[in-house]
Amino acid sequence: MSPQSKYNANHSHMKPQPPIPIQRLATAFSAGLLAAVLLLSALALWQVFSVAEHINLSRQQAAKYELAAAVERQLRRTQEQARRLASWSETKDQLHVIDGIAQWSAQRVDAAGKLDSPHARVGLYHAHGHRFDFGNGQAGMPERLALQGTDEQTQAWLVGEGGQLVLYQPFTVFSQETPMTLYQALRARAEPQTVRVLLGHGLIRLDVSADLRARETFRFADLSGLEVLAADGVTFAPSALLQQTRIKTLGDASLQQFYVLLVLTFMLVLLLLASGSWLAHRFLQRMLVGPLSHITLEIDLLRACGTSTSVQSTEAGAAPPRIAELAAVRSALHQYHEEIQSLQHRLQHQSQRFRDLAYQDGLTGSLNRRAFDEDWSALLSQANQEPQAVGFMLFDCNRFKAINDTYGHAVGDAVLIRIAAALQAALRSQDRLYRLGGDEFAMVLVAASPEQVQQVAQRCQEQVRARDFSDLELAEPVTVSIGLAHCAPEHNVALTELPRQADIAMYQAKRPGMQAQGYMAFYQPDADLESTLPSSNESKAVQLALSQPQLIELHYQPVYDLASGQIHSFEVLARLRHEGALLAPGRFMPVVAHRRQEVEFDLAVLDSLDAQLQRGALPDAMGLALNLSAASVVDAAVQQRLLALARSHGTGRKFTVEITETALVTQIDQARERLQVLRQAGLRIAMDDFGTGYSPLRYLLDLPIDVIKLDMSLTQALTQGKRSAQLVCDLVRILKNAGYSIVAEGVEQTSQLIEVRNLGIHYAQGYLLGRPELAKHWIQPPHPLAGIGLRIPVVEQAATACTHSLAPVQHTQPSAL
């Protein structure tokens, strides 16, 4: 039953009642007041004990945080010691020499003052995590260090050992080395480059419990009661210290006395309150309690009915208050309620109107720049507490200024309204659209993966294309460019960079040729440097060549069989024809690498080669060698294209895939699988430019290599000194004994050719034997390509630069190139 119905039932037939005797009111008041005092006394005592319990809990919490703060200080000191040890020259010397590690960790570290606690020890580990253990200096240290990377920033951990809390702080030790290639060592012309080399790791072990007792003074925590909850040997992060430990608190005698005094004070105050209440109950009950109860009921009715008129009509038969002041209060209450209610309605209306004006764009109805700034600030604050993936999309209407200037502002506004409606229709339910100004819109996608960001962007483009702009009589379609940026949860520190990254990506989307990609572009880390490329001839040439593969000119350089003196195969070399000039790889390949378009470029070269082979520009029996970038080696599309090329034109023709040694192949396992498939299909695998670049021996061990192409620097070394020639001779002997076919590149002098042939190298190429030319220059009837043989003089008795020759020169037929 509502308060109003209850009031009607009680007062519908109310008759005037005689005054109530004061004694009866006093008796009832006394009984109620006595019960209230007793209840208040019990509540007060309960509150005292609750306060005591709360104080104990607070002290327990303070003890935990006091312990956590002390351990945090230990952790910072230990991390600083780890950094000093990692950069200490004697640490690096020990990892170089290894001998004496036990003495170093037991005596030298303490003598040098690198550890400030007698409860700390340090041990050294191999680069792969194994402990160096040549004595008792590292007893108690883990046998193996679980590696999480090779960076200097390593994470400490805590562990319980025999009831004691122990801190382990790992660190990584690097040295600066200056590697030099063989050619650089010989010529000593290039400036050595310094690289960072991983020497090993170190580990500091600190007995936390013992060190805290010796170093710290605690107000709340009792270290003798420190208990590690985790089982012995179970590690946990320092951030989980409070969850994995239990600590007792120090006793406080003064606090116990305060509890007793507080209880006595409460008892005395309650006694005084009971006495005073007993003396004043007659007056209060008669003059205030009744009228106030009546006014309270009216307040409930006002809350339920909403207007004073309804309450007054309901209580028409009720007796008015006997006290004039209470009657005035009752009347004023109704009047104030009406005024406050009216004012509240006006304020709500005005507040909603002001909010709409403050946060809503007046033209498009989307949120404005102020709403974006506030929402973005809130998102940044929230990301510090709860990291999450965030996508950012920036929209810009293509050629909007031309539309606005040509057709007028009314048409421009109509275009913006329809674009905003289209973008709004593509949003997810939790996403919001902002108009940042002019024709620029933004969208923030929280908890979205890069794929989801891409899908929303595609929906936005579809919605814009589906909009009808025909009534505006525009001479060209309305399109938008979209710049996309994404930040993963683990990289939330870079969240503030998303608007700038999306802005860079949007300008990338506006570039010529982006129509095929839907005027969308994802931000790439190197996109900031992109502004220097669009104006260069090389950049334009690359973009045109990728869209029009016929602009790629394929030149062919012959590779001669030194045993027969005949052309054995051709290396396919790409050139770009742009504005009448022929661009060499040295000019356009850096652009391709910078844009990370190696795979696209290699596919375009394969398409151009396929077209020439279909036209019959090359003889069927002649082998072809193709260069692949590191990215193409592991790309599935390039692999399928090569297999299709071999199936279509592999009858009587050998294809060789050349991997440039200067291209860093990071996915060795995947590269091995891709190359093995090609090899099984009949293609040969060659390592180009051997002698320069990245990890040649690793490539030979890990990749299925058939042919080694010596870099021209090694070929030239044969005639540049006895020591240089001897090194090349030994290298050739090792490679031949391992079963590799060898090609000497860069043969430009007759003396070099003589040395190469006398070494028993199988094949050679270079400007002395033939420059790269177009296919039509090599195939001119009536001289078929196979008949153009360079006759190499037989120089069996010529002096060789090698002091211990490989063997008498016997030009046996090597494995097929």
Side-chain angles (χ1 to χ4, degrees), residues 626-644:
L626 308 169
N627 291 281
L628 287 187
S629 63
S632 297
V633 171
V634 296
D635 187 79
V638 174
Q639 180 197 54
Q640 295 302 320
R641 193 70 183 88
L642 283 169
L643 292 174

mmCIF file of all heavy atoms in Angstrom, residues 626-644:
data_model
loop_
_atom_site.group_PDB
_atom_site.id
_atom_site.type_symbol
_atom_site.label_atom_id
_atom_site.label_comp_id
_atom_site.label_asym_id
_atom_site.label_seq_id
_atom_site.Cartn_x
_atom_site.Cartn_y
_atom_site.Cartn_z
ATOM 1 N N LEU A 626 67.746 -16.558 -60.909
ATOM 2 C CA LEU A 626 66.886 -15.472 -60.452
ATOM 3 C C LEU A 626 67.279 -15.077 -59.032
ATOM 4 O O LEU A 626 67.476 -15.932 -58.168
ATOM 5 C CB LEU A 626 65.415 -15.912 -60.457
ATOM 6 C CG LEU A 626 64.903 -16.518 -61.765
ATOM 7 C CD1 LEU A 626 63.545 -17.138 -61.557
ATOM 8 C CD2 LEU A 626 64.834 -15.438 -62.834
ATOM 9 N N ASN A 627 67.361 -13.774 -58.774
ATOM 10 C CA ASN A 627 67.697 -13.273 -57.449
ATOM 11 C C ASN A 627 66.417 -13.075 -56.638
ATOM 12 O O ASN A 627 65.435 -12.529 -57.131
ATOM 13 C CB ASN A 627 68.441 -11.938 -57.535
ATOM 14 C CG ASN A 627 69.825 -12.121 -58.115
ATOM 15 O OD1 ASN A 627 70.741 -12.539 -57.428
ATOM 16 N ND2 ASN A 627 69.967 -11.813 -59.401
ATOM 17 N N LEU A 628 66.448 -13.497 -55.365
ATOM 18 C CA LEU A 628 65.317 -13.308 -54.451
ATOM 19 C C LEU A 628 65.782 -12.547 -53.213
ATOM 20 O O LEU A 628 66.897 -12.750 -52.714
ATOM 21 C CB LEU A 628 64.730 -14.652 -54.002
ATOM 22 C CG LEU A 628 63.911 -15.451 -55.014
ATOM 23 C CD1 LEU A 628 63.277 -16.645 -54.315
ATOM 24 C CD2 LEU A 628 62.832 -14.600 -55.666
ATOM 25 N N SER A 629 64.892 -11.684 -52.713
ATOM 26 C CA SER A 629 65.167 -10.985 -51.458
ATOM 27 C C SER A 629 64.879 -11.909 -50.287
ATOM 28 O O SER A 629 64.271 -12.970 -50.433
ATOM 29 C CB SER A 629 64.298 -9.732 -51.356
ATOM 30 O OG SER A 629 62.931 -10.083 -51.315
ATOM 31 N N ALA A 630 65.302 -11.480 -49.086
ATOM 32 C CA ALA A 630 65.064 -12.287 -47.891
ATOM 33 C C ALA A 630 63.583 -12.454 -47.622
ATOM 34 O O ALA A 630 63.124 -13.524 -47.211
ATOM 35 C CB ALA A 630 65.752 -11.640 -46.687
ATOM 36 N N ALA A 631 62.793 -11.392 -47.849
ATOM 37 C CA ALA A 631 61.347 -11.480 -47.612
ATOM 38 C C ALA A 631 60.698 -12.448 -48.586
ATOM 39 O O ALA A 631 59.757 -13.160 -48.235
ATOM 40 C CB ALA A 631 60.711 -10.103 -47.730
ATOM 41 N N SER A 632 61.198 -12.502 -49.829
ATOM 42 C CA SER A 632 60.593 -13.388 -50.824
ATOM 43 C C SER A 632 60.932 -14.844 -50.570
ATOM 44 O O SER A 632 60.183 -15.736 -50.972
ATOM 45 C CB SER A 632 61.054 -12.980 -52.221
ATOM 46 O OG SER A 632 60.620 -11.678 -52.555
ATOM 47 N N VAL A 633 62.051 -15.105 -49.925
ATOM 48 C CA VAL A 633 62.460 -16.488 -49.685
ATOM 49 C C VAL A 633 61.410 -17.215 -48.847
ATOM 50 O O VAL A 633 61.147 -18.397 -49.049
ATOM 51 C CB VAL A 633 63.839 -16.518 -48.988
ATOM 52 C CG1 VAL A 633 64.183 -17.934 -48.521
ATOM 53 C CG2 VAL A 633 64.917 -16.024 -49.942
ATOM 54 N N VAL A 634 60.782 -16.490 -47.884
ATOM 55 C CA VAL A 634 59.819 -17.132 -46.979
ATOM 56 C C VAL A 634 58.386 -16.830 -47.379
ATOM 57 O O VAL A 634 57.467 -17.160 -46.636
ATOM 58 C CB VAL A 634 60.076 -16.662 -45.533
ATOM 59 C CG1 VAL A 634 61.439 -17.102 -45.066
ATOM 60 C CG2 VAL A 634 59.950 -15.147 -45.408
ATOM 61 N N ASP A 635 58.166 -16.217 -48.518
ATOM 62 C CA ASP A 635 56.813 -15.846 -48.925
ATOM 63 C C ASP A 635 56.180 -16.974 -49.739
ATOM 64 O O ASP A 635 56.773 -17.481 -50.704
ATOM 65 C CB ASP A 635 56.834 -14.553 -49.746
ATOM 66 C CG ASP A 635 55.436 -14.045 -50.038
ATOM 67 O OD1 ASP A 635 54.839 -13.432 -49.143
ATOM 68 O OD2 ASP A 635 54.944 -14.280 -51.158
ATOM 69 N N ALA A 636 54.954 -17.359 -49.366
ATOM 70 C CA ALA A 636 54.274 -18.472 -50.036
ATOM 71 C C ALA A 636 53.904 -18.124 -51.472
ATOM 72 O O ALA A 636 53.977 -18.970 -52.367
ATOM 73 C CB ALA A 636 53.023 -18.859 -49.244
ATOM 74 N N ALA A 637 53.515 -16.857 -51.728
ATOM 75 C CA ALA A 637 53.116 -16.464 -53.082
ATOM 76 C C ALA A 637 54.298 -16.554 -54.047
ATOM 77 O O ALA A 637 54.155 -16.998 -55.200
ATOM 78 C CB ALA A 637 52.532 -15.062 -53.064
ATOM 79 N N VAL A 638 55.475 -16.126 -53.593
ATOM 80 C CA VAL A 638 56.667 -16.213 -54.448
ATOM 81 C C VAL A 638 57.006 -17.671 -54.721
ATOM 82 O O VAL A 638 57.369 -18.048 -55.851
ATOM 83 C CB VAL A 638 57.843 -15.481 -53.778
ATOM 84 C CG1 VAL A 638 59.131 -15.676 -54.574
ATOM 85 C CG2 VAL A 638 57.542 -13.996 -53.637
ATOM 86 N N GLN A 639 56.887 -18.510 -53.702
ATOM 87 C CA GLN A 639 57.165 -19.930 -53.903
ATOM 88 C C GLN A 639 56.235 -20.531 -54.951
ATOM 89 O O GLN A 639 56.686 -21.236 -55.873
ATOM 90 C CB GLN A 639 57.010 -20.675 -52.582
ATOM 91 C CG GLN A 639 57.282 -22.168 -52.693
ATOM 92 C CD GLN A 639 56.740 -22.927 -51.499
ATOM 93 O OE1 GLN A 639 55.571 -22.797 -51.182
ATOM 94 N NE2 GLN A 639 57.600 -23.700 -50.845
ATOM 95 N N GLN A 640 54.935 -20.267 -54.866
ATOM 96 C CA GLN A 640 53.988 -20.804 -55.838
ATOM 97 C C GLN A 640 54.253 -20.266 -57.244
ATOM 98 O O GLN A 640 54.115 -20.991 -58.238
ATOM 99 C CB GLN A 640 52.556 -20.473 -55.388
ATOM 100 C CG GLN A 640 52.147 -21.140 -54.089
ATOM 101 C CD GLN A 640 52.244 -22.661 -54.171
ATOM 102 O OE1 GLN A 640 51.892 -23.267 -55.192
ATOM 103 N NE2 GLN A 640 52.739 -23.270 -53.104
ATOM 104 N N ARG A 641 54.658 -18.986 -57.317
ATOM 105 C CA ARG A 641 54.933 -18.392 -58.636
ATOM 106 C C ARG A 641 56.145 -19.061 -59.273
ATOM 107 O O ARG A 641 56.182 -19.307 -60.489
ATOM 108 C CB ARG A 641 55.173 -16.892 -58.480
ATOM 109 C CG ARG A 641 55.164 -16.139 -59.788
ATOM 110 C CD ARG A 641 53.764 -16.083 -60.373
ATOM 111 N NE ARG A 641 53.746 -15.431 -61.673
ATOM 112 C CZ ARG A 641 53.944 -16.059 -62.812
ATOM 113 N NH1 ARG A 641 54.182 -17.370 -62.818
ATOM 114 N NH2 ARG A 641 53.881 -15.409 -63.965
ATOM 115 N N LEU A 642 57.181 -19.356 -58.494
ATOM 116 C CA LEU A 642 58.365 -20.025 -59.024
ATOM 117 C C LEU A 642 58.029 -21.445 -59.475
ATOM 118 O O LEU A 642 58.513 -21.909 -60.525
ATOM 119 C CB LEU A 642 59.459 -20.056 -57.953
ATOM 120 C CG LEU A 642 60.218 -18.747 -57.713
ATOM 121 C CD1 LEU A 642 61.070 -18.854 -56.463
ATOM 122 C CD2 LEU A 642 61.080 -18.399 -58.923
ATOM 123 N N LEU A 643 57.206 -22.133 -58.684
ATOM 124 C CA LEU A 643 56.829 -23.489 -59.084
ATOM 125 C C LEU A 643 56.041 -23.470 -60.384
ATOM 126 O O LEU A 643 56.238 -24.328 -61.262
ATOM 127 C CB LEU A 643 56.002 -24.138 -57.973
ATOM 128 C CG LEU A 643 56.757 -24.442 -56.665
ATOM 129 C CD1 LEU A 643 55.800 -24.950 -55.601
ATOM 130 C CD2 LEU A 643 57.876 -25.444 -56.909
ATOM 131 N N ALA A 644 55.135 -22.501 -60.530
ATOM 132 C CA ALA A 644 54.363 -22.394 -61.773
ATOM 133 C C ALA A 644 55.279 -22.067 -62.949
ATOM 134 O O ALA A 644 55.107 -22.591 -64.065
ATOM 135 C CB ALA A 644 53.286 -21.326 -61.616
#
